[in-house]
Amino acid sequence: MQNLRVELGERSYTISIEAGILGRTGEIISDLTPARQVLLVSNPTVFPLYGDKVISSLHKAGFEVEVALMPDGEVYKNMEEALKVLDKAVDFNLERTGIIAALGGGVVGDLAGLVAAVYQRGINFVQIPTTLLSQVDSSVGGKVAVNHPRGKNLIGAFHQPLAVIIDPLTLHTLSEREYKSGLGEVVKYGLIYDESFFAFLENNASAVKERRGEIIAELIYRSCRIKSMIVEKDEKEQGIRALLNLGHTFGHALEKITDYKAYSHGEAVAMGTVAASLLARERGYITEEVFKRILNLYRILDIYKEFPPFDPEVVYAAMLNDKKVMYGKMRLILPAGIGQAVIADDVEKEEIIRAIRRAQNLAID
Ligand SMILES: NC(=O)c1ccc[n+]([C@@H]2O[C@H](COP(=O)([O-])OP(=O)(O)OC[C@H]3O[C@@H](n4cnc5c(N)ncnc54)[C@H](O)[C@@H]3O)[C@@H](O)[C@H]2O)c1
Ligand SMILES: [Zn+2]
């Protein structure tokens, strides 16, 4: 088993990563708290796969368990569904010392976490993420939220978990699309923070694609380590945490234009990172060689799709709506080498338009 401690003073917690660890959920939680009640939040896709294992482990450890299932999908990450889970918590007489646990991907984790942040002014929360994206990204860092009809994650909080329990075996039932979505974020970590991790991905690309056990556990561990180091330095996103947005302003624009249907989040981030890298290359922040290395890793992992031929003006307009735009100036994260990135808050519209054109013109070779 690999344990990773996230040091945030009295909000510190441990991420435990191990094949088969779901069967030890109860034991892990009872070591951390005298609580006796768990409200387990999941959805009808994940619960039939892993619910029994988690519940029997919780029962074995003496917990009283109630289940709240929310429908599957990003569109249900909203206040209405959060209120239903809150109703469940009230009906269950969930005490202030009780636990809300999230079993599922980032949607379940974000919603359950928000409920845990507000129920009785905040109760303990346990993340049991089951998608690659949630294991390497959304379950670490304490951001919880639901969407508002007019914007993603507009209703949220910072609420650090009591524990994060990651079972890499859950990835075997995950679709190819969702798996690759997580890989998009994994590449990002290497690119912004850790050249040796980037090289690890280059050297193990086929094992990564085949989801081979030890490689995946290592990949999750190293990704969580990078994310948690960044979160430790900047819990509330006032500085370095912004680097995690590499590729996201372009990526969110592509997701929005295609109504979140054409690409997984990771694919959109990959295309966005390629565009950001082209802009960085033009500014002289990275060499042609580094650019090729970035593009090549996306290609060998099979997560890069050709940048769609939308009018660059339309993409730019969608980027302006992103919440990273500050006082009208476009703020972009740009790579500055493998393992390094910078925040650029002086990016001109023309540079963005040129980067989009270049991304669209990249030959498939
Ligand atoms: N809080 C954060 O810091 C943070 C960071 C990144 C993303 N997010 C949020 O995360 C969400 C996306 O999360 P996601 O990519 O995990 O999507 P998701 O939660 O929608 O899961 C994707 C799909 O996979 C299914 N699934 C989950 N685990 C499975 C398994 N083991 N086997 C088979 N199917 C499984 C889900 O039911 C769903 O249909 C977004 O709402 C995003 O805003 C939050
Ligand atoms: Zn992302």
Side-chain angles (χ1 to χ4, degrees), residues 26-99:
E27 185 190 318
I28 292 171
I29 301 178
S30 60
D31 280 350
L32 295 169
T33 153
R36 296 283 38 109
Q37 291 172 302
V38 175
L39 177 63
L40 183 67
V41 184
S42 189
N43 74 25
T45 307
V46 180
F47 188 71
L49 294 168
Y50 305 109
D52 276 354
K53 200 163 182 191
V54 171
I55 289 180
S56 58
S57 157
L58 287 167
H59 281 158
K60 215 158 65 186
F63 287 102
E64 186 192 349
V65 183
E66 181 63 73
V67 176
L69 296 187
M70 63 176 287
D72 189 356
E74 177 75 28
V75 289
Y76 299 104
K77 200 178 99 173
N78 59 29
M79 271 320 267
E80 207 181 322
E81 294 300 327
L83 281 173
K84 289 185 199 161
V85 177
L86 282 164
D87 285 345
K88 262 268 158 84
V90 175
D91 289 343
F92 182 40
N93 291 318
L94 185 62
E95 291 168 4
R96 243 205 74 59
T97 53
I99 306 268

Side-chain angles (χ1 to χ4, degrees), residues 43-46 49-50 72-74 77 103-110 127 129-135 137-145 147 152-153 169-175 178 181-182 185 188 227 241 248 265:
N43 74 25
T45 307
V46 180
L49 294 168
Y50 305 109
D72 189 356
E74 177 75 28
K77 200 178 99 173
L103 174 69
V107 166
V108 167
D110 276 13
Q127 288 269 23
T130 60
T131 62
L132 182 59
L133 185 128
S134 57
Q135 294 179 348
D137 189 354
S138 62
S139 69
V140 182
K143 280 192 190 177
V144 296
N147 302 325
K152 257 189 75 113
N153 297 327
L169 291 182
T170 58
L171 299 182
H172 289 301
T173 52
L174 195 63
S175 70
E178 297 304 339
S181 187
E185 305 286 2
K188 179 187 77 181
K227 175 139 189 198
R241 191 163 178 173
H248 279 63
H265 176 66

Side-chain angles (χ1 to χ4, degrees), residues 150-152 154 249 252-253 256-257 314-326 330:
R150 273 180 279 154
K152 257 189 75 113
L154 286 185
T249 306
H252 285 155
K256 204 181 316 166
I257 294 170
V314 171
V315 180
Y316 179 76
M319 289 171 77
L320 278 182
N321 281 324
D322 199 84
K323 61 178 186 291
K324 272 88 206 174
V325 176
M326 275 194 179
M330 185 75 77

